[in-house]
Amino acid sequence: MCIVGLGLIGGSLMRDLHARGERVYGCTLHGARAARRDGFDVCDSVEEVLRRAEADRALVVVAVPMRAAASVLDQVAELAPSCWVTDVVSVKQPVYDLVVERGLAARYVGGHPMAGTEFSGWTASQEGLFAGAAWAVTFDYAREAPTDRDWAALFTTVCTLARVVGAEAVPVSVARHDEAVARVSHLPHVIAEALALVGDRGGTLAQSLSAGSFRGATRVASTEPELVRNMCETNAASLVPVLDEFIALLTDARASLDSTPPSMQALAESGHRAHLRMAARHGARRESVSPVKISSRPVMRVHPGAPGWVHQLEQIESLGGRVEVF
Amino acid sequence: MCIVGLGLIGGSLMRDLHARGERVYGCTLHGARAARRDGFDVCDSVEEVLRRAEADRALVVVAVPMRAAASVLDQVAELAPSCWVTDVVSVKQPVYDLVVERGLAARYVGGHPMAGTEFSGWTASQEGLFAGAAWAVTFDYAREAPTDRDWAALFTTVCTLARVVGAEAVPVSVARHDEAVARVSHLPHVIAEALALVGDRGGTLAQSLSAGSFRGATRVASTEPELVRNMCETNAASLVPVLDEFIALLTDARASLDSTPPSMQALAESGHRAHLRMAARHGARRESVSPVKISSRPVMRVHPGAPGWVHQLEQIESLGGRVEVF
């Protein structure tokens, strides 16, 4: 396995794979020395690591920020033409467009582990980061070529990679992925930044009085602004309509709070019900006291490449379920 | 000490005071049997408990939701005319208006512990809830009557109450309190409700892909809608302009994300800086490894009633600092 880019996600993936006895190496522009000191097989040259991957027929995991994805995929196309490719970038349509442009679609399966912290870089990487997390695995190419055995085998490999690090493979098309993460990941980042500003304008008094609700909603504002920009800007097409929905809800609540008497009934009650629905779906996983973690995601066993398998994936996608490949 | 209302806040206060050997009793409409089973001196009659408080000259702590505050204060005025009064309601101007209307201002000091969870009721109450939290203590009356010795003694009592349960007394005027909590507490509640709705609209797929940033920002949406409405509606005068600020930031970000090329530079960078400023002020308290918790709030020692003490409180207020009374 060859990981290009060893920040929080790529680095944590390397740690997990290494801890499970997998052969894994990688490269990173920042933190290569620290990674080597920690005992990992890491260099600082994309070219060198991709030549090595080509010789090994390694699976190449692109784990760089979106802005670097085009140049890394150029190098993959040139230097590792025999390798299978996956990635962990937080938006999928823009990466898929780059993949298609470079003629790599038949040997690419997109991935996105839904895990992270507000910290970044190799020093922030940690073992166990992906335990229980969803790992989105894209399957758009299978719609065009459902009987491509090689691609089906790569799909199996990426699902297995997710399982090995304790995550759950959730099959999803790139468009639906980007729309969903705009709602549950990118919008919370935009909110965190704006709320931090509103809180800070209240000065030291507001800061002194802030407690859990404020900290919970602003925690991710400590993420490097560059990473937040990368996520949100590359997913602007999905994020803008979601922001419109959110702003419309707030604008309605504002009007209703500005009436006589002030009311927040509609938002408080519908928001609470929405939260209960989402929490109920999460239920089993979070409250289990058993040492064996039980996932709340519905599961479907799929044999990649078998007749009807793409239709199965579409069914799982609509449920947000996980796939077990066999 | 007599606590009227034993939900999350009142109940936790009772547990803490009892654990520290203080004599404390109270009443609650819901949960009185459960509280008695847990070994506490609790009845379900406001009238009964206030007559007892009057006989004892107890400090009465009003710990009911805002909508019940008027009737409880009516009963306090009628049945416990000799008692000192404080409260733990999350807005302060509306309570103070009720207090003034009933002629209770000279024996009332407002309070608001900035602690809580997303759960409510006696069963949610817990020991240690207030450890390290700010406990807002209002001092408006002292501006009118800085030499009132009785009121100064009550102020000391309320600050001491906060200290006994491990909180830090932060002196604040009712107006500045309500403006600050609109920013750091009520706005996060509004956000949580609206974000839960936007996430839920993404269906099971979005829910399946949601992770820490979403959970952090929506956690408080599980608060009872009635409590959220109470907080936000009674503080609408402060919350509406704060919501306007927040909506304006989002609207700007939306426009900038909808440009070519999409940008979120302004919000990501200014939000991150705001977050760093606030986190830096929190610094010492959160990262201390010493068993002795060091507060990051500046401290000022004040002798209530002494010449210039109100000016001292105003200085601490502007810093969001804590007061130690002597």
Side-chain angles (χ1 to χ4, degrees), chain B residues 220-240:
Chain B
V220 293
S222 65
T223 310
E224 282 302 318
E226 192 62 28
L227 295 177
V228 177
R229 288 185 60 187
N230 239 284
M231 287 191 293
C232 295
E233 293 171 1
T234 53
N235 199 23
S238 296
L239 182 52
V240 167

Side-chain angles (χ1 to χ4, degrees), chain A residues 119-132:
Chain A
F119 306 107
S120 54
W122 170 265
T123 51
S125 67
Q126 55 183 261
E127 260 181 56
L129 184 67
F130 309 109

Side-chain angles (χ1 to χ4, degrees), chain B residues 15-83:
Chain B
R15 288 179 186 276
D16 274 354
L17 292 171
H18 182 80
R20 281 158 186 78
E22 301 282 338
R23 189 168 157 243
V24 56
Y25 50 87
C27 72
T28 183
L29 296 185
H30 307 289
R33 284 178 59 189
R36 279 195 298 272
R37 263 200 311 272
D38 292 347
F40 294 92
D41 184 357
V42 171
C43 70
D44 57 9
S45 161
V46 179
E47 187 178 327
E48 179 187 326
V49 89
L50 286 177
R51 289 194 194 282
R52 183 174 167 191
E54 175 68 11
D56 289 346
R57 300 291 187 275
L59 172 67
V60 174
V61 182
V62 178
V64 297
M66 182 61 211
R67 67 173 181 285
S71 83
V72 168
L73 288 170
D74 282 340
Q75 289 175 285
V76 167
E78 186 195 334
L79 303 170
S82 314
C83 289

Side-chain angles (χ1 to χ4, degrees), chain B:
Chain B
M1 208 97 62
C2 166
I3 307 177
V4 180
L6 296 169
L8 171 64
I9 301 298
S12 298
L13 181 60
M14 175 170 270
R15 288 179 186 276
D16 274 354
L17 292 171
H18 182 80
R20 281 158 186 78
E22 301 282 338
R23 189 168 157 243
V24 56
Y25 50 87
C27 72
T28 183
L29 296 185
H30 307 289
R33 284 178 59 189
R36 279 195 298 272
R37 263 200 311 272
D38 292 347
F40 294 92
D41 184 357
V42 171
C43 70
D44 57 9
S45 161
V46 179
E47 187 178 327
E48 179 187 326
V49 89
L50 286 177
R51 289 194 194 282
R52 183 174 167 191
E54 175 68 11
D56 289 346
R57 300 291 187 275
L59 172 67
V60 174
V61 182
V62 178
V64 297
M66 182 61 211
R67 67 173 181 285
S71 83
V72 168
L73 288 170
D74 282 340
Q75 289 175 285
V76 167
E78 186 195 334
L79 303 170
S82 314
C83 289
W84 282 344
V85 186
T86 186
D87 75 312
V88 295
V89 177
S90 61
V91 287
K92 298 269 66 77
Q93 186 71 56
V95 175
Y96 199 58
D97 291 345
L98 297 174
V99 162
V100 171
E101 281 168 22
R102 284 155 186 78
L104 300 172
R107 54 193 181 93
Y108 165 84
V109 168
H112 180 205
M114 303 306 300
T117 71
E118 62 272 39
F119 306 107
S120 55
W122 170 264
T123 52
S125 67
Q126 55 184 259
E127 260 181 57
L129 184 67
F130 309 109
W135 191 300
V137 181
T138 67
F139 62 89
D140 297 61
Y141 184 77
R143 290 204 174 117
E144 297 167 38
T147 58
D148 183 327
R149 298 252 152 215
D150 281 347
W151 195 88
L154 170 55
F155 185 87
T156 300
T157 299
V158 174
C159 291
T160 305
L161 170 68
R163 187 177 51 71
V164 165
V165 299
E168 302 184 350
V170 174
V172 63
S173 61
V174 297
R176 292 203 58 186
H177 169 276
D178 287 0
E179 204 269 347
V181 297
R183 290 182 186 277
V184 296
S185 171
H186 302 164
L187 177 58
H189 273 92
V190 176
I191 288 170
E193 307 287 0
L195 180 58
L197 272 167
V198 170
D200 186 53
R201 286 180 189 164
T204 48
L205 176 62
Q207 192 269 331
S208 178
L209 297 183
S210 69
S213 62
F214 186 82
R215 276 201 302 278
T218 54
R219 180 181 58 87
V220 293
S222 65
T223 310
E224 282 302 318
E226 192 62 28
L227 295 177
V228 177
R229 288 185 60 187
N230 239 284
M231 287 191 293
C232 295
E233 293 171 1
T234 53
N235 199 23
S238 296
L239 182 52
V240 167
V242 165
L243 256 174
D244 284 339
E245 278 184 37
F246 185 68
I247 292 171
L249 287 168
L250 293 182
T251 305
D252 286 352
R254 186 251 180 247
S256 160
L257 277 168
D258 200 32
S259 320
T260 310
S263 173
M264 211 181 80
Q265 183 172 7
L267 181 62
E269 292 182 356
S270 58
H272 183 65
R273 281 195 304 270
H275 185 267
L276 291 184
R277 274 193 298 271
M278 295 189 81
R281 289 182 214 130
H282 256 298
R285 194 172 31 162
R286 305 200 43 203
E287 284 163 32
S288 168
V289 291
S290 155
V292 179
K293 296 280 186 208
I294 297 166
S295 170
S296 64
R297 294 184 185 96
V299 62
M300 196 181 277
R301 300 194 74 222
V302 172
H303 184 62
W309 80 291
V310 177
H311 181 62
Q312 284 185 295
L313 294 183
E314 287 165 346
Q315 286 182 300
I316 310 171
E317 175 188 50
S318 67
L319 298 170
R322 63 200 167 93
V323 65
E324 275 180 16
V325 292
F326 69 98

Side-chain angles (χ1 to χ4, degrees), chain A residues 159-174:
Chain A
C159 291
T160 305
L161 171 68
R163 187 178 51 72
V164 165
V165 299
E168 303 184 348
V170 174
V172 64
S173 61
V174 297

